[in-house]
Structures are given as structure tokens and as C-alpha cells.
Amino acid sequence: MCAFCSMKLRRRAAAVRRRMHCLWLLLLGLALAMLATSGFLNQDQDLHAADPSRRPLQRLPGPPELEVIVDSLDLALELGEDLAPLKSLQEDQLLFVFPSAHGSRTQPQSKRSYKMLMRGTFKDAATPGPARLRAGSLQREMEQASVQRHGFNEALSETISLHRRLPEARHPECFGEKYSESLPSASVIICFHEEPWSTLMRTVHSVLDTTPKQFLQEVLLVDDQSQSRHLKVRLGSYVSELEGVRLIRSTRRLGVGGCRTMAAAKAKGEVLVFMDSHCECQEGWLEPLLERVAQDRSRVVSPIMDVIDWQTFQFNITQWPVRGVFDWRLDFYWESNPQLQDFHPEEPVLPLQSPALGGSVLAIDRNFFQSVGAYDPGMVLWGAEQIELSIRVWSCGGSMEVVPCSRVAHLSLHHRPYIFPDQDMLRRNKIRVADIWMDAYRKIYYRRDTLAHFIKQSESPNIAERLRLKRSLGCRNFHWFLSTVFPQLYVPQDKPALSGELYNVGTGSCADYPRGEQQQGGVMNIAPCSGTGGQVIRTSSVIREAKLTHSKVTCGSVVAL
Ligand code: UDP
Ligand code: MN
């Protein structure tokens, strides 16, 4: 190789070595930079893990959302009772505190941590900030949206004190009433499903603010498997600070009756007071109820239920006398100013017997409740449970009344906000009422709800257990209930005596309606028998005689109901 060539090669090799050095230095620099960054991050994570509840929210670096973990153990019954307190957080800094889905039973150290979202970071937050609420038109929009979402003006409710006092609605004579000093203790049971914060907490505070401590054993808040975030850790933490309030969580959806029965088994008070999760009590509401139950343990009592308007949150006074009734469609309602023989206007503080009571607030002796069969466990989620309990209490040895010196206001909803998995749930519950308690009178209900009739026939619900209970308690029949407790319920004589096709044995044809006239009850024709059910008619006994004589047809295939 020539000397020139070997010099050129050496120079090239030196240049490559220099470039390699540069590359190494670059790589080293990068590696050091990465190490430094990860070290910093780790330090930051350690800080979070150390004690997040003590970290002031406003000092968080980066995005405002801090995600850490809550031990999933805490999601079991009694959630929230042993969680780290949120003392360092201001209530208005904290929009939601809720458990993370990543919690694990093998990480007990994660128990003291929470996931937090600052105001405004939660996109469909139902709870508006106070500043936004002040802007007039925006407030109206928020209010409309909240009515749609909750069935009442929750945005307005948020701005009303949790400790507001209702205007006095009791009759002046109530103030002269004296109650025994040794009244039984009460457990107030409040079952809730997806109840907004303001109405739920106003209910709880209203009970605490209006009830003498010596009569209140406890307030049992029972979460019927709500998913709303404000009802998770935030609620657990808030309730743990309230004396005498216990929070129970159900691990499956129980519905109104199931939830109340479950809570009753855990209650310690002598008297159970079931209360809806959106009520406000009037001062002195509990004593008159306890007094009546103490005098007769089989007496089930209700306050006068005043009404909180779903839009304005104004308080509407219910006129006395009032009592609970139901119709043949098995719909419950309060009947104001009924013409009652046992009502004497000169004695405005006397309780009045009531054929039924609504479920919004109801006081019942705990032992009597258990012995009379609690709520029917066969009923699903919601509806007609108050009618079932009413007929059962009366028929099986108890009684019901409205006590006028006790008043509680109930929020009337614009619509029911929560979703039911079963659209015919209410019907299914009514079918149980009819089949278990109404004997032959059940047909009057089925005639008013043909779909219920079909459901009952296709499903034949299992009512054996409840019929056994009815027998073992020696309960009276529905005829007794109608004639003794609720004689005002008119028993309609619309009972068809016969139904089927009217078949003329002479011509071999059937009575038929001209098309489209079935509803108006037009003159009938004679037509070939179709056999499809389209010619089925129903006749009352009177009409049957008239028609049969007049048209001289015999009822070949007419069958008695
Ligand atoms: N509720 C419940 N589980 C359900 C449905 C309702 O715990 O599946 C609660 C609800 O939150 C309320 C009470 O039961 O506190 C009665 O329900 P609601 O107020 O809807 O009945 P209404 O007053 O309209 O009869
Ligand atoms: Mn209600």
C-alpha cells in the first residue's frame, strides 16, 4: 500500500472514532436526562401515595385531576365508615370523591387514598358551581336540565339551606297536646336510590333538627345500590361526622319494600319510621306518631303529608281531613276533605282512620311489622307496596290512621328519574295485591287492566308463601275490608255475566258488530261465525236477558266468566 493511501486511511479512522465518541456522549446525555426525569416523577408519585388526603388540592402540579386508589374492600356493606377522613378538603373544593375501579384486596396501604375531581373537570356534573348559578338565564337553563335529569328542580334545591325550617302548618290546638315522656324510641329508615345530594341531606338534617334526641334511636340511611358518585365516598365521609346516623349499603338492588325490610332487620329502635329520601319534617312531627303507636302496637300511623313543589320548592299545605285510599286500578292517592262520619271539625287534633297509607312516611311498631310479614318479598322494586301493606295490616288485625298534629312534607316529583329494568313492574306488583288479598273482587281490577290479566295468566306468579302467611295470621277477607274499613269504595256492577260468541242455532250464524263500531256499541248484525275471537262480546246480566229475548238467539258458545 502506498504511504499516501495509508495516511488517508488513518485520517478516516480517526474521524469515525471522533463521530463515535460524539454519539456515545449524546446517548449518555440522553440516558442521564431520562434517569433524572423518572426520578423526579417517582418522587412525585411517592408524595401522592404518602397521604393524599392531607395534600391541599390547589397545590397539585399539572392537570387538576389526581387519580389514586381506594381499597375495593371499602365497597362492601358499610362503605365509607373506616375511610380516611377528608378533613383537609374544603367542601366546595370537592366536587366528587369516589372509589377507583382499580382497588385491590391485596393492597391495604391504598386504603387511605381517593380519586378526586376539581370543580369543572367532570363534564356532566349535575351540580353547578355557585358562581354559575348566579347568572340568571344560565340558572334557568340549569334548572330545566336538572328537572329533566332528576324529576325536580335540583339546581334550585342546591341553593336552599339543608337546615331550612318549614312554615308552621299545625292546628293551634296541637300546641296544647301533651305526650308521654316514656315514648318508645324510633329508627328512622331512609332508603334511597340515586337521590341527589341536597334533597337527601335536607331529609337527614330535617330529621335531626326536629326530633328530640331521647326518642331518636338512629337514622338508618340505606343505599339501594346507587351509582351516583356523590353517594359514594363523599356520602360515607359526611355521614360519619353526623351523630346517630348510620349508612348501610346494599350489594344488590332491593327496591322500596326489599330495602325497607332489610333495614328493619338491622334497626334497633322499637318503632320503625320509614321515610322517603326527599322529605322535610315539621317541628314536633315524631312525638304524636310515637304516642299513637305506643297506645296500640298494631296501629300503623302517618303524618299529614304536605307537598314540596318540584319546580319552586315551595311548601303546599294539605287540607285536613285527609286519608289514604285507592281505586280499582289499584292506584293510591290522598283524598282531601272526604265526607267522613268519624270526622268532627270541632276536634281537629283527633287522628282519623285511613283505609290505606302512602309510603312516604309511615310509623309502625318493629315487632308488629315483623309479625305481620314485613313487605311482600315477591314484589319488585317499586309500586303498590303501600296498598299491599295497607290491606294486610287491616285484614290481619291492625289498623291505620293519619295523625293531624304530625306533619311532614314530601317532594312531589315531576317524573320518576330512575330507570326500572322491568316496564311492567308496577303491574306485576298489583297482580300480587289482587291475587293474594282481593279474592273474587280481583276481577274488578283485571277488567280495568287487561294486560295485567294476560301477564297473570301467562306467568302464574308464585304467591303460595303469602297465602300461607295470610292463613296463619287468620286474616279477614276482602269483603270484610270493603264493608268495614272502606265502605266508600263503590263496587262497580260492570261485571259481565257472560262473554263469548252469540251463536244462533237456527241460522248457524253469529252476532257481529259492523266494523269500527265495537266501542260505540251499535246495533249488531248476524254474520257467519269467524271463530277468530273477533265476535266475542260481553254482556251484563240485564242486557243479556233483553237481547236474548229480543233477537231470539241462543248463546251456544257463550261462557260464564
Ligand atoms: N327507592 C329505593 N329503591 C328503588 C326505588 C326507590 O330505595 O328501587 C327509594 C327512593 O329513593 C325513595 C323511596 O324509595 O326514597 C320511594 O320512592 P319514590 O320517592 O320514587 O316513590 P314515590 O314517592 O313516588 O311513591
Ligand atoms: Mn317519594
Side-chain angles (χ1 to χ4, degrees):
M1 192 187 290
C2 65
F4 174 74
C5 296
S6 78
M7 206 167 78
K8 210 172 165 186
L9 269 177
R10 267 201 306 277
R11 252 194 236 132
R12 219 178 259 170
V16 168
R17 265 201 305 278
R18 268 200 305 279
R19 261 185 229 139
M20 288 296 285
H21 274 142
C22 287
L23 200 65
W24 277 116
L25 277 172
L26 199 69
L27 282 174
L28 197 68
L30 270 173
L32 278 172
M34 276 171 69
L35 262 177
T37 326
S38 72
F40 175 77
L41 283 180
N42 282 343
Q43 205 181 8
D44 195 41
Q45 272 167 13
D46 287 348
L47 256 174
H48 290 202
D51 193 351
S53 65
R54 301 186 69 82
R55 249 175 95 75
L57 227 56
Q58 60 270 40
R59 276 193 238 141
L60 285 174
E65 193 174 318
L66 161 69
E67 183 167 353
V68 273
I69 291 162
V70 168
D71 191 343
S72 60
L73 269 176
D74 296 320
L75 294 175
L77 280 178
E78 312 272 340
L79 188 149
E81 284 203 344
D82 58 351
L83 281 171
L86 289 165
K87 289 213 172 65
S88 65
L89 293 167
Q90 296 299 310
E91 194 60 3
D92 63 350
Q93 286 179 312
L94 181 68
L95 186 57
F96 293 109
V97 178
F98 57 92
S100 156
H102 311 299
S104 133
R105 281 166 193 272
T106 54
Q107 291 176 308
Q109 73 279 9
S110 63
K111 199 169 176 177
R112 295 185 61 80
S113 48
Y114 301 90
K115 177 171 178 170
M116 300 170 203
L117 292 178
M118 296 284 286
R119 273 193 190 284
T121 57
F122 186 59
K123 303 247 175 0
D124 22 279
T127 324
R132 296 182 80 197
L133 273 179
R134 262 174 244 122
S137 66
L138 190 59
Q139 172 164 353
R140 273 191 297 281
E141 266 174 44
M142 299 287 284
E143 289 185 3
Q144 268 168 14
S146 83
V147 168
Q148 277 200 338
R149 181 167 174 169
H150 300 290
F152 66 89
N153 194 343
E154 208 267 355
L156 177 65
S157 172
E158 277 273 307
T159 66
I160 297 172
S161 164
L162 296 183
H163 297 272
R164 80 164 174 174
R165 285 289 165 103
L166 297 179
E168 186 58 68
R170 284 173 291 176
H171 192 280
E173 280 194 26
C174 292
F175 301 108
E177 289 289 282
K178 294 270 174 290
Y179 303 106
S180 156
E181 275 170 22
S182 55
L183 289 174
S185 65
S187 288
V188 177
I189 293 172
I190 304 172
C191 285
F192 60 91
H193 178 72
E194 311 297 8
E195 186 70 40
W197 180 265
S198 62
T199 39
L200 179 63
M201 294 328 298
R202 200 174 294 115
T203 308
V204 173
H205 282 299
S206 141
V207 171
L208 296 176
D209 293 348
T210 56
T211 311
K213 273 210 167 80
Q214 71 264 32
F215 304 136
L216 185 64
Q217 172 74 39
E218 63 201 339
V219 175
L220 274 182
L221 264 182
V222 195
D223 178 5
D224 190 13
Q225 226 195 20
S226 308
Q227 300 303 323
S228 308
R229 286 164 184 180
H230 65 272
L231 299 174
K232 300 290 179 189
V233 182
R234 181 186 179 193
L235 180 65
S237 162
Y238 191 93
V239 165
S240 67
E241 305 278 315
L242 296 176
E243 204 191 321
V245 184
R246 280 204 287 156
L247 175 64
I248 301 173
R249 299 201 193 254
S250 169
T251 45
R252 67 188 179 88
R253 179 89 178 269
L254 296 170
V256 186
C259 181
R260 289 178 171 192
T261 300
M262 185 270 275
K266 292 180 183 287
K268 297 182 188 132
E270 274 182 70
V271 175
L272 309 173
V273 180
F274 297 115
M275 183 178 287
D276 273 13
S277 48
H278 33 249
C279 289
E280 291 175 59
C281 309
Q282 178 108 153
E283 195 70 45
W285 68 283
L286 184 62
E287 296 92 318
L289 299 180
L290 293 181
E291 176 94 8
R292 294 300 289 175
V293 176
Q295 285 168 3
D296 176 353
R297 295 295 177 143
S298 65
R299 196 183 266 154
V300 181
V301 297
S302 159
I304 297 180
M305 298 306 302
D306 295 305
V307 177
I308 302 167
D309 187 277
W310 59 266
Q311 178 73 274
T312 62
F313 264 71
Q314 273 165 359
F315 170 65
N316 296 319
I317 291 177
T318 297
Q319 290 304 313
W320 179 251
V322 64
R323 62 178 197 158
V325 291
F326 55 87
D327 56 23
W328 286 108
R329 298 190 71 88
L330 300 185
D331 286 323
F332 173 87
Y333 57 97
W334 291 109
E335 184 186 38
S336 251
N337 291 319
Q339 299 300 310
L340 297 175
Q341 281 171 359
D342 57 345
F343 172 63
H344 306 288
E346 67 283 4
E347 294 190 279
V349 297
L350 276 190
L352 270 185
Q353 291 205 328
S354 185
L357 290 177
S360 311
V361 178
L362 195 83
I364 183 169
D365 178 79
R366 181 160 52 93
N367 292 329
F368 179 66
F369 176 73
Q370 302 296 7
S371 66
V372 85
Y375 278 97
D376 177 357
M379 283 199 163
V380 278
L381 295 186
W382 177 94
E385 67 283 323
Q386 79 279 50
I387 296 179
E388 195 275 339
L389 182 68
S390 301
I391 302 174
R392 178 156 45 90
V393 162
W394 275 111
S395 311
C396 310
S399 65
M400 287 191 148
E401 62 181 34
V402 182
V403 183
C405 289
S406 170
R407 303 193 82 116
V408 177
H410 171 253
L411 177 66
S412 64
L413 296 184
H414 173 259
H415 61 265
R416 207 162 305 288
Y418 39 80
I419 299 161
F420 290 119
D422 174 5
Q423 280 197 335
D424 288 317
M425 160 196 73
L426 176 58
R427 232 178 225 117
R428 292 201 162 84
N429 288 347
K430 288 178 175 180
I431 289 171
R432 291 186 72 82
V433 176
D435 286 5
I436 298 169
W437 296 105
M438 290 170 67
D439 315 319
Y441 290 92
R442 67 182 177 274
K443 288 177 186 164
I444 304 181
Y445 162 64
Y446 284 125
R447 253 179 238 124
R448 277 153 187 73
D449 192 342
T450 322
L451 190 52
H453 193 224
F454 285 130
I455 292 178
K456 174 229 159 74
Q457 283 194 321
S458 64
E459 292 179 4
S460 358
N462 185 358
I463 55 169
E465 193 59 45
R466 295 308 270 187
L467 290 179
R468 254 197 301 278
L469 173 84
K470 186 177 173 181
R471 261 195 311 277
S472 70
L473 291 174
C475 306
R476 294 181 158 110
N477 62 25
F478 198 66
H479 180 74
W480 173 87
F481 177 83
L482 283 181
S483 51
T484 317
V485 180
F486 198 8
Q488 299 83 1
L489 183 63
Y490 172 70
V491 180
Q493 294 304 309
D494 60 356
K495 207 167 94 179
L498 298 169
S499 86
E501 292 156 353
L502 271 180
Y503 172 68
N504 188 310
V505 286
T507 63
S509 24
C510 282
D512 201 347
Y513 280 109
R515 261 182 210 294
E517 285 190 27
Q518 287 96 324
Q519 300 304 320
Q520 289 81 22
V523 179
M524 293 179 83
N525 298 331
I526 297 289
C529 294
S530 67
T532 59
Q535 291 167 328
V536 168
I537 56 166
R538 291 176 177 191
T539 61
S540 72
S541 46
V542 180
I543 295 170
R544 176 180 52 135
E545 280 162 24
K547 287 267 185 208
L548 293 183
T549 344
H550 176 69
S551 58
K552 300 208 176 6
V553 287
T554 42
C555 43
S557 56
V558 171
V559 288
L561 253 190

